[in-house]
Amino acid sequence: MTESNKVKLNSEATVLKETEAPPPELKTDEASNDKSQAVSLTTDAPIAASDDSQDLAVSQKVEVSENKIVSDSTKGQTALTDGVEIVLPYRPFASTEKWLEHRFSAWSAPKTWFATILMVTFFGFGGPGYVTDWIVKQAVNSTYKPSANLSMNQAMMTGNVMIVQWMSLILFLGLFLLMYFYLRHPTQVVLNAQGVSLVWKRRSEWLRKTLNWKDLQRISVEWPPNKTSPQESLLCFTPINGEPLKFKYGALPSISSRQSLMDAINRWAPHASRAPELADMLSEPHTHGYTELWLQALSQPPKRERLTPLSEGAMLRECQYEILGRLGVGGQGTAYAAREVDNNHAVVLKEFILPVYVDVNVRRQAVEKMQNEADILSRLNHNSIVKLIDFFIEDHRGYLVLERIDGESLRQKVNAEGRLNETAVRSLALQMCEMLEYLHGLEPPVVHRDFTPENLILARDGTLKLVDFNVAQQQESTATGTVVGKHCFISPEQFRGKPTTQSDIYAMGATLYYLLTGEDPEPITCSHPKKKCEGLSESIDELVAKTTALAVKNRYLNAAEIKAALEA
């Protein structure tokens, strides 16, 4: 084997779709008979060593015989060892770079025509000459007094010289400031068994600030004055003695870089205390974490590129999804029929309009609302509940990517065909019971709070599916919340802002009343469908009445009791 064998790392299997920054570089240095090896790891393909070495193949996993550590937080990641050095690219202007890339990559025909006409008009009518003459005259009039010994031509020439001098000075100062702001920031974050370092390295390394892990006392998150964006926050590594080492969180723009930093902290600094939010900020989101979603929202350009609903053929998420048409419009946004470009699967994109020119807390609440629905859907796994595929933010709009259900809502069915017969309603009621049994049986229980005909989709194969968890919540406390839901289907306790699992049972009873009569029930009323349709049986009338009882204690306790009554 030669004195320096190099094997390169290509970790495509562990790099997520966010690719603003290159994946961290891993280096392993081992001294043996004054020979060094630079080893990097791959999870994708076999690696071949140099020509005069033995054949070497590494696939999917690299085992290190000495000092091998794999923590719970690094499953699926390469194990960190004391000989590994991780080099993370440090990009303090990553958000600006992303904004510029988005701004100049977005095509706008009206803006382009306007800019073109403006430029042609300016240069075509001698705009630069008029501007230059005006500047020269202003310089001459403000600097020199009229003199018989100074001709106008000489004055103009002197003015031109002064303009050139001042412009040169301004250009020099501008370049100096740019170089200062560029060079004052480090270029790399280096992690190894000794500590964490900020490195200034252009052509060669010329400065390094290092904090040893053994001296590290606490890792915290600091917020600069008047800054609310997580991208502007500072990760502060505070030693027992001495100055803390700080660097910008947003300068590690890729998920893989932040995960590598978290892995290094877990491996080499388990003794250091940490800020509670640190794990969420640095850990790889298995389903996009709130922090990651919030960063997506804040990294958008300062105004929307599209001011109208998406049109057919529009591409989203770097051409991953193509819009096929609109399915419906609601208060929160629009639902679109779409397809995944890679595999042509049909999906639904549920859109959330996020406010732009508002206080940052208002934007945060809008993102939290979307995140709440995504979190709940990601926990659910039932054939009768719509499945979440993906979610993201683009152009100040949030999108949930959901499975496409080939069917129609119960509201649409009744509007098209009229009220349903009792046999069909009993069959649908049994499927509703299965949904609610599953949701209410979770820990903590999930209260849908909008269990209505609009949100129950009947597929072509007869399967009933529940959608729209926008106002759903996990029942973890008894705190009073906001009143949400459609008034004809809201129970008294939900109207007071204290929904329980039995609030969904009330909504189910109101939905059954609608299916049996073809009319919405009276709000906050114990419903009797037999009063509207005399041909209905006493048993179905009693069932609807008990599910819509105004007092919680008089209602069915759970969906299992309703199911038993239907099957009796």
Side-chain angles (χ1 to χ4, degrees):
M1 183 177 291
T2 61
E3 289 191 359
S4 179
N5 290 330
K6 294 184 179 179
V7 183
K8 295 201 169 179
L9 169 65
N10 235 339
S11 177
E12 291 182 0
T14 58
V15 175
L16 297 183
K17 294 177 182 176
E18 182 179 348
T19 58
E20 289 86 347
E25 178 185 353
L26 278 71
K27 298 180 181 178
T28 303
D29 298 324
E30 296 181 0
S32 176
N33 299 326
D34 297 330
K35 296 180 180 180
S36 64
Q37 292 182 334
V39 180
S40 52
L41 314 174
T42 184
T43 59
D44 263 343
I47 307 175
S50 58
D51 295 339
D52 55 349
S53 65
Q54 298 293 329
D55 291 339
L56 173 64
V58 181
S59 62
Q60 298 297 327
K61 181 178 178 181
V62 174
E63 295 186 355
V64 181
S65 58
E66 296 180 358
N67 302 319
K68 180 182 176 183
I69 302 272
V70 180
S71 66
D72 290 339
S73 64
T74 58
K75 291 179 181 178
Q77 303 270 339
T78 301
L80 295 182
T81 66
D82 289 344
V84 170
E85 184 176 82
I86 305 173
V87 180
L88 307 177
Y90 188 83
R91 297 169 54 196
F93 306 109
S95 58
T96 304
E97 293 169 7
K98 185 175 181 180
W99 183 87
L100 289 173
E101 180 183 1
H102 184 94
R103 174 60 62 190
F104 289 103
S105 64
W107 170 261
S108 174
K111 292 180 182 178
T112 303
W113 278 109
F114 176 77
T116 302
I117 293 172
L118 190 65
M119 293 293 289
V120 170
T121 303
F122 180 73
F123 285 97
F125 288 91
Y130 289 117
V131 172
T132 304
D133 290 344
W134 182 84
I135 293 175
V136 170
K137 289 179 181 178
Q138 293 298 317
V140 171
N141 294 334
S142 62
T143 307
Y144 298 98
K145 295 180 179 179
S147 173
N149 298 325
L150 190 66
S151 67
M152 179 56 69
N153 289 336
Q154 289 175 326
M156 294 285 286
M157 182 62 68
T158 304
N160 287 339
V161 171
M162 287 197 62
I163 289 174
V164 172
Q165 290 175 343
W166 277 105
M167 291 183 67
S168 299
L169 179 61
I170 293 172
L171 181 62
F172 173 78
L173 290 176
L175 290 175
F176 176 80
L177 289 174
L178 286 175
M179 289 298 295
Y180 170 75
F181 282 110
Y182 177 69
L183 294 175
R184 69 190 290 263
H185 293 287
T187 58
Q188 296 174 342
V189 177
V190 177
L191 309 166
N192 53 37
Q194 284 69 47
V196 54
S197 303
L198 291 179
V199 177
W200 282 255
K201 183 178 181 181
R202 307 298 171 181
R203 291 182 178 273
S204 60
E205 181 179 328
W206 55 279
L207 181 61
R208 177 184 289 242
K209 293 183 180 179
T210 302
L211 175 60
N212 292 331
W213 296 118
K214 63 180 181 180
D215 298 328
L216 183 60
Q217 183 180 36
R218 177 170 174 77
I219 308 171
S220 57
V221 180
E222 293 186 0
W223 298 84
N226 302 320
K227 299 291 186 180
T228 56
S229 169
Q231 289 181 309
E232 300 296 332
S233 63
L234 300 175
L235 300 180
C236 182
F237 291 73
T238 305
I240 299 172
N241 296 305
E243 292 293 323
L245 189 68
K246 300 180 181 181
F247 55 88
K248 189 178 175 182
Y249 170 76
L252 301 176
S254 72
I255 296 174
S256 57
S257 292
R258 296 193 288 268
Q259 179 65 48
S260 295
L261 177 59
M262 191 68 198
D263 293 345
I265 294 171
N266 290 335
R267 169 67 179 92
W268 291 311
H271 59 278
S273 61
R274 310 174 191 180
E277 63 268 33
L278 189 69
D280 188 31
M281 293 177 71
L282 295 181
S283 295
E284 177 180 325
H286 299 291
T287 61
H288 311 263
Y290 168 72
T291 301
E292 197 62 36
L293 202 64
W294 179 233
L295 287 177
Q296 288 183 24
L298 293 175
S299 64
Q300 302 294 310
K303 66 177 183 178
R304 302 185 199 278
E305 290 296 329
R306 298 185 180 99
L307 299 178
T308 57
L310 299 177
S311 58
E312 183 178 345
M315 307 297 289
L316 295 177
R317 201 164 172 76
E318 298 179 350
C319 297
Q320 187 174 345
Y321 301 105
E322 180 185 2
I323 300 299
L324 302 179
R326 271 189 283 178
L327 295 175
V329 180
Q332 295 294 330
T334 307
Y336 295 95
R339 71 179 185 94
E340 293 183 84
V341 175
D342 291 342
N343 52 33
N344 206 35
H345 285 172
V347 295
V348 171
L349 264 61
K350 181 180 176 181
E351 180 185 69
F352 293 77
I353 301 296
L354 304 180
V356 180
Y357 301 108
V358 293
D359 181 75
V360 67
N361 291 323
V362 177
R363 285 175 59 78
R364 187 185 295 274
Q365 290 172 4
V367 175
E368 285 176 348
K369 192 172 184 180
M370 173 183 171
Q371 176 70 24
N372 175 68
E373 181 171 358
D375 281 346
I376 290 177
L377 282 171
S378 65
R379 291 180 53 214
L380 305 181
N381 184 19
H382 193 276
N383 290 334
S384 295
I385 295 175
V386 66
K387 289 179 173 55
L388 175 70
I389 299 172
D390 189 13
F391 59 96
F392 59 93
I393 288 177
E394 184 172 309
D395 194 25
H396 300 286
R397 306 181 192 199
Y399 295 95
L400 297 184
V401 184
L402 307 167
E403 69 167 319
R404 177 74 183 274
I405 304 170
D406 184 18
E408 59 184 354
S409 71
L410 294 184
R411 172 78 66 180
Q412 291 172 325
K413 185 174 180 62
V414 171
N415 286 341
E417 303 175 9
R419 69 183 187 90
L420 307 184
N421 62 63
E422 184 175 332
T423 302
V425 172
R426 284 180 177 272
S427 176
L428 293 173
L430 287 172
Q431 295 191 60
M432 296 180 198
C433 289
E434 292 180 3
M435 298 175 188
L436 295 182
E437 272 191 282
Y438 173 76
L439 293 175
H440 299 167
L442 295 172
E443 191 60 42
V446 173
V447 182
H448 189 272
R449 299 202 296 174
D450 201 15
F451 197 89
T452 62
E454 289 83 359
N455 294 329
L456 290 162
I457 309 298
L458 185 61
R460 304 297 179 196
D461 61 1
T463 303
L464 192 64
K465 293 214 174 192
L466 180 62
V467 301
D468 200 349
F469 284 73
N470 186 38
V471 297
Q473 68 176 16
Q474 299 176 5
Q475 188 182 357
E476 294 176 301
S477 66
T478 57
T480 301
T482 55
V483 179
V484 294
K486 300 172 181 68
H487 66 283
C488 292
F489 301 86
I490 294 179
S491 65
E493 69 276 8
Q494 184 172 336
F495 185 78
R496 293 191 294 268
K498 289 190 174 183
T500 67
T501 54
Q502 285 175 282
S503 302
D504 284 344
I505 289 176
Y506 179 95
M508 174 183 168
T511 298
L512 295 180
Y513 177 91
Y514 170 77
L515 297 178
L516 290 166
T517 64
E519 299 177 7
D520 285 334
E522 290 292 328
I524 316 296
T525 303
C526 180
S527 300
H528 287 272
K530 191 172 176 61
K531 292 181 179 180
K532 286 282 183 182
C533 303
E534 296 182 357
L536 298 176
S537 66
E538 289 291 340
S539 61
I540 195 69
D541 185 71
E542 291 175 1
L543 185 141
V544 173
K546 190 171 182 178
T547 54
T548 57
L550 298 183
V552 174
K553 63 181 180 180
N554 296 332
R555 242 177 266 159
Y556 288 105
L557 181 63
N558 50 49
E561 290 188 0
I562 304 176
K563 186 177 181 180
L566 287 167
E567 294 175 340

